[in-house]
Amino acid sequence: MDGTRPRPAVVASDLDRTLIYSAAALRLTGADADAPRLLCVEVYEGRPLSYLTETAARLLDTLARAAVFVPTTTRTREQYARIRLPCPPPRFAICANGGHLLVDGVPDEDWRALVAKRLGEQCAPLDEVRAHLLAAADERWLLKERVAEDLFAYLVVDRALLPAGWVEELSGWAAGRGWTVSLQGRKVYAVPGPLTKSAALAEVARRTDAPLTLAAGDSLLDADLLTAADLAWRPGHGELAEAGWTAPGVRALTTAGVLAGEEILRAFLAATGGAPL
């Protein structure tokens, strides 16, 4: 042996409804006295917003010391900054669905320039897609319209009033312009095809020379991340679970809600050779 320390694995995990959960997403059952103790990790406008279990907090701290833990989210940088994860500050974080790579909390300008180049070469401009989104929407079910980081757009809708076939029709229009459309909860996302979490994961793996990549996520926007990793997990809730989606190397869990976060973290630790608590 030459004494060289082995290179750590890269662990890229979605946050919302994968590791952290709003009160509405906890899915706790049984007697209240048996519920796990929760740790609040996000406060918004003076109110607690996101949680994980205290057990998950300990697991995450152990994982972040044994691997290159990479929070990976569709959140904007501002939204991500509200979260206080109970672990050492991650060296890397992926925000805006791969549009921003944070290195020690600072946006990497080389990565941002590369993303901008890919979007300019491979898909229609954001303004064109945003204009079509608004023109195709109906004020009877459109609640809000937002642009995230000047990279992608989404609508907040009353899903019960959304016309049948509307998302499919919009998807067909967007595909011809290099964009993807997905309905997740009350949000209709329009995202440029080249804007992916998997591309940012590949960049982190390249920079760290990682021997192994692991991932987890629950939504349609996580599918590319999961398929790109060497091993991945999805919880028993979310759009991927509802669609029965899986892929080679992706393990479908049955646990739903905040306890799925614990199971995912235990799986990460087992795969990296760590000792789950």
Side-chain angles (χ1 to χ4, degrees):
M1 297 179 63
D2 61 6
T4 303
R5 294 184 61 185
R7 301 185 307 277
V10 166
V11 179
S13 181
D14 176 49
L15 296 177
D16 295 282
R17 296 188 303 168
T18 299
L19 291 189
I20 67 174
Y21 292 78
S22 67
L26 293 174
R27 295 199 185 190
L28 295 174
T29 59
D32 291 345
D34 297 328
R37 289 169 60 93
L38 299 174
L39 176 67
C40 178
V41 294
E42 181 184 15
V43 174
Y44 181 56
E45 295 182 343
R47 294 176 294 177
L49 187 62
S50 299
Y51 306 84
L52 44 62
T53 69
E54 288 189 349
T55 296
R58 293 192 294 272
L59 292 167
L60 178 58
D61 181 68
T62 302
L63 176 69
R65 297 175 190 277
V68 179
F69 171 61
V70 185
T72 305
T73 181
T74 304
R75 286 182 178 227
T76 64
R77 289 169 292 171
E78 180 181 2
Q79 292 167 336
Y80 168 69
R82 298 197 303 252
I83 301 171
R84 295 291 181 266
L85 293 171
C87 65
R91 181 185 174 195
F92 298 100
I94 295 168
C95 295
N97 212 60
H100 286 288
L101 176 61
L102 306 186
V103 182
D104 295 324
V106 178
D108 188 283
E109 293 303 324
D110 289 340
W111 177 251
R112 182 67 185 91
L114 179 60
V115 169
K117 182 174 183 292
R118 289 173 177 170
L119 300 189
E121 292 174 347
Q122 300 177 37
C123 52
L126 171 63
D127 288 346
E128 177 184 342
V129 175
R130 183 186 182 194
H132 184 84
L133 271 177
L134 289 173
D138 191 312
E139 63 181 10
R140 290 175 296 179
W141 45 261
L142 176 62
L143 304 179
K144 297 177 184 177
E145 181 264 345
R146 294 286 186 270
V147 170
E149 301 269 19
D150 291 325
L151 290 167
F152 62 91
Y154 63 92
L155 308 179
V156 181
V157 302
D158 184 336
R159 187 162 177 168
L161 299 179
L162 200 63
W166 185 85
V167 172
E168 291 75 14
E169 182 177 347
L170 179 63
S171 297
W173 179 89
R177 290 155 180 81
W179 286 62
T180 62
V181 171
S182 62
L183 173 63
Q184 302 183 39
R186 298 191 307 147
K187 294 180 180 179
V188 178
Y189 286 93
V191 178
L195 188 70
T196 63
K197 294 177 179 180
S198 59
L201 168 60
E203 178 64 11
V204 174
R206 183 188 69 81
R207 295 188 187 192
T208 59
D209 193 24
L212 178 70
T213 56
L214 309 175
D218 72 293
S219 78
L220 296 171
L221 289 174
D222 295 317
D224 70 284
L225 175 72
L226 304 189
T227 55
D230 295 315
L231 289 173
W233 292 262
R234 68 157 175 82
H237 61 258
E239 289 81 16
L240 296 179
E242 290 169 5
W245 181 91
T246 189
V250 178
R251 299 175 183 178
L253 305 179
T254 58
T255 308
V258 70
L259 293 179
E262 289 186 12
E263 187 172 1
I264 287 167
L265 287 164
R266 286 192 176 95
F268 282 153
L269 278 167
T272 57
L277 302 178

